[in-house]
Amino acid sequence: SSNHFYVFTILSVLGIFAYRNTKKIKFLVIYLFLLSIVLEIFHLIIPNRGFEWSDLFGNTLGVIFVIIIYKVKNKYV
């Protein structure tokens, strides 16, 4: 699940950089959360893959981590 955290942290940072000058940050946050959930749920369907709660937690934690840093940065800068 730490790998999932790292990947979704990087994915979230890239998304924030791509949308930082637009008003679509709220859309991005919703998209990243849904993506982290849907990709893990697909593991129930894909052969030789398994759904794991720890992976889902790592996915969402990576997104939350970046969003908190983004909000703190915008508040104090």
Side-chain angles (χ1 to χ4, degrees):
S1 81
S2 64
N3 290 336
H4 289 253
F5 172 77
Y6 299 138
V7 168
F8 270 88
T9 298
I10 292 169
L11 183 64
S12 300
V13 167
L14 291 174
I16 292 290
F17 280 141
Y19 283 91
R20 71 176 179 258
N21 294 328
T22 67
K23 302 286 184 190
K24 296 183 180 183
I25 292 294
K26 206 176 270 192
F27 172 77
L28 176 70
V29 170
I30 293 168
Y31 176 78
L32 289 171
F33 273 117
L34 289 177
L35 182 68
S36 67
I37 293 168
V38 168
L39 287 178
E40 197 59 38
I41 289 175
F42 276 160
H43 287 172
L44 294 170
I45 301 167
I46 300 170
N48 300 324
R49 299 294 298 187
F51 174 84
E52 293 185 19
W53 285 103
S54 61
D55 292 345
L56 179 61
F57 181 69
N59 294 351
T60 55
L61 194 62
V63 175
I64 291 169
F65 177 71
V66 172
I67 292 168
I68 289 171
I69 290 174
Y70 174 75
K71 289 192 178 273
V72 168
K73 179 195 141 308
N74 282 345
K75 184 176 181 180
Y76 293 110
V77 173

